[in-house]
Amino acid sequence: DNNNTATWTQRYFVFDQFYQKGGPVFLYICGEGPCDGISSDHDYLVHLCEKYGAMTLSLEHRFYG
């Protein structure tokens, strides 16, 4: 609907500790609950970021209804 101007707040987190210019960007969708980005709980994703000089963008996704 082109007339719909509703908006919402989208929480997102950036993990760029190992990012190297020109490296890939991984998108991590946290699921239907609170999200705090990636941390040591996501060892494999952190490992991939380090290996490939990547950045990860984490989106908090919540769907109700």
Side-chain angles (χ1 to χ4, degrees), residues 4-51:
N4 186 347
T5 59
T7 62
W8 73 93
T9 302
Q10 175 71 60
R11 285 182 16 138
Y12 66 93
F13 303 89
V14 177
F15 180 80
D16 60 359
Q17 180 177 342
F18 301 109
Y19 183 69
Q20 296 176 11
K21 186 176 180 178
V25 177
F26 301 139
L27 176 62
Y28 178 71
I29 300 175
C30 295
E32 295 184 9
C35 179
D36 292 323
I38 65 170
S39 63
S40 59
D41 295 348
H42 302 91
D43 288 337
Y44 187 66
L45 192 49
V46 172
H47 169 76
L48 290 176
C49 287
E50 185 173 14
K51 180 177 180 177

